Amino acid sequence: MKLTFKKEFNGDENLLPTREVPGAVQFKEAEDMKKFAVFANILALVITAAAVVPVVLMGAARGMFAREAWSGTFFSIWIGCILSVLVIPLHELLHASCFRGEVDFYTYLKKGLCFVVGTESMTKAHFVFMSLLPNLVFGFVPYILYWIFPDLIFLGFFGAFSIGAGAGDYINVFNALTQMPKGALTFMSGMHSYWYLPEEGK
């Protein structure tokens, strides 16, 4: 993997790396980055809320929101939230680590996004693993650990917010699982993903 850190993305999708493969089919997905960002951010809010509510209920049941415990709980919540923001670059680096060739790292702070783009071909399984790896490491693992150690409420909030931050990845996984036929390969070109059958893309 050869990682290149790019300047702040200005919204011009023509500046992203592209690739052409004969017979490749574009995923049915958002037309541009702006529409994708809006949908992903709304989905992130929904997922985060769904993950936070059980944590709050567990904390309340354990008396962590009582007046005498509130200051410590409030501090723990903020720690979890701050951690979920700090790991965003690491989230993207985990994506990048799944590439074997060149991959570019972009920030798009105006839309609240960081993302990586690489144009190499991947199997469906490899693409799904690449998409979900950061969410497993920073989201589901700490979230599950919270339910094992419920006194560590910061893990619950860290996991919940990190799970929500993967909304865009879940969209890509859904597209791959529902649109790619058996034996197909996928690759990124610009902000879009494509699939093709190897014998047709030679």
Side-chain angles (χ1 to χ4, degrees), residues 1 22 26 44 53 123 151:
M1 181 265 291
Q26 181 181 315
V53 168
T123 63
D151 288 337

Side-chain angles (χ1 to χ4, degrees), residues 3-198:
L3 179 65
T4 302
F5 290 91
K6 298 293 186 177
K7 294 181 179 179
E8 168 75 6
F9 182 59
N10 63 6
D12 184 358
E13 297 173 18
N14 294 318
L15 299 178
L16 299 176
T18 60
R19 175 187 174 193
E20 292 186 6
V21 174
V25 178
Q26 181 181 315
F27 280 15
K28 297 176 183 177
E29 56 189 2
E31 297 176 1
D32 55 47
M33 182 69 76
K34 293 180 180 179
K35 292 182 179 179
F36 179 81
V38 170
F39 182 58
N41 285 329
I42 292 174
L43 182 60
L45 289 174
V46 173
I47 293 173
T48 301
V52 163
V53 168
V55 175
V56 171
L57 293 176
M58 172 63 85
R62 296 178 62 82
M64 300 185 76
F65 293 98
R67 180 178 299 178
E68 61 274 14
W70 170 242
S71 60
T73 301
F74 181 77
F75 179 74
S76 295
I77 291 172
W78 271 109
I79 291 296
C81 294
I82 291 171
L83 282 175
S84 68
V85 174
L86 293 179
V87 300
I88 289 176
L90 298 178
H91 176 115
E92 295 305 321
L93 288 176
L94 278 182
H95 283 315
S97 70
C98 295
F99 287 79
R100 300 185 180 95
E102 296 184 0
V103 57
D104 295 337
F105 182 103
Y106 296 87
T107 56
Y108 194 19
L109 300 182
K110 290 181 180 180
K111 299 298 179 182
L113 296 174
C114 286
F115 60 97
V116 294
V117 178
T119 60
E120 70 185 64
S121 295
M122 294 183 179
T123 63
K124 184 190 299 186
H126 189 168
F127 180 79
V128 169
F129 177 78
M130 180 274 295
S131 299
L132 293 182
L133 178 60
N135 305 297
L136 294 173
V137 173
F138 297 122
F140 290 96
V141 168
Y143 195 73
I144 292 171
L145 285 175
Y146 164 70
W147 293 100
I148 299 174
F149 307 103
D151 288 337
L152 303 179
I153 196 169
F154 80 92
L155 284 177
F157 279 87
F158 172 43
F161 278 89
S162 296
I163 289 171
D169 299 323
Y170 309 142
I171 294 170
N172 290 332
V173 168
F174 177 80
N175 289 337
L177 293 178
T178 58
Q179 298 181 39
M180 290 179 65
K182 184 178 180 180
L185 299 177
T186 183
F187 66 95
M188 300 176 69
S189 181
M191 70 145 291
H192 293 290
S193 296
Y194 295 76
W195 65 263
Y196 68 96
L197 295 172

